[in-house]
Amino acid sequence: VQLVESGGGLVQAGGSLRLSCAASGFFFSINVMGWYRQAPGKQRELVATITSGGSTNYADSVKGRFTISRDNARNTVNLQMNNLKPEDTGVYSCNVEVIVRLPRQTANYWGQGTQVTVSS
């Protein structure tokens, strides 16, 4: 399974960015898709996840500012980030849990990460 991320970059505080992640390869379906981030000197943390049914979960720090969405037909997940703050700076990585063998054998994969830098 390969994950290709796009959309990172440099933005001023208050600005917006949209991250995208496309999954390809052999799998039967994707259970959960999500975004995680790692700031310099800190551990990786969950940003947002979305299930195949559309249920979402957000870190408290991004609620009301970020929106996660997915296209099941295209195996993509997006993260719309609005009102960005300097503390949102970090490497954002896509993560997916896929079913690799029926009925429920799963595997977890990570993207290579994309840098998001928010200047004050």
Side-chain angles (χ1 to χ4, degrees), residues 10-81:
L10 172 64
V11 65
Q12 289 188 332
S16 298
L17 284 174
R18 182 178 176 86
L19 305 182
S20 295
C21 173
S24 62
F26 179 77
F27 49 86
F28 288 97
S29 63
I30 303 177
N31 285 340
V32 183
M33 307 184 82
W35 288 95
Y36 293 72
R37 68 186 180 191
Q38 186 168 21
K42 295 186 177 180
Q43 290 189 333
R44 183 161 56 191
E45 63 177 357
L46 178 147
V47 177
T49 60
I50 184 168
T51 69
S52 57
S55 295
T56 58
N57 180 48
Y58 294 93
D60 288 342
S61 60
V62 307
K63 285 180 180 177
R65 300 187 296 122
F66 292 10
T67 301
I68 191 170
S69 62
R70 64 188 280 175
D71 184 331
N72 290 329
R74 299 183 178 184
N75 296 322
T76 58
V77 60
N78 302 304
L79 185 69
Q80 177 66 42
M81 304 185 293

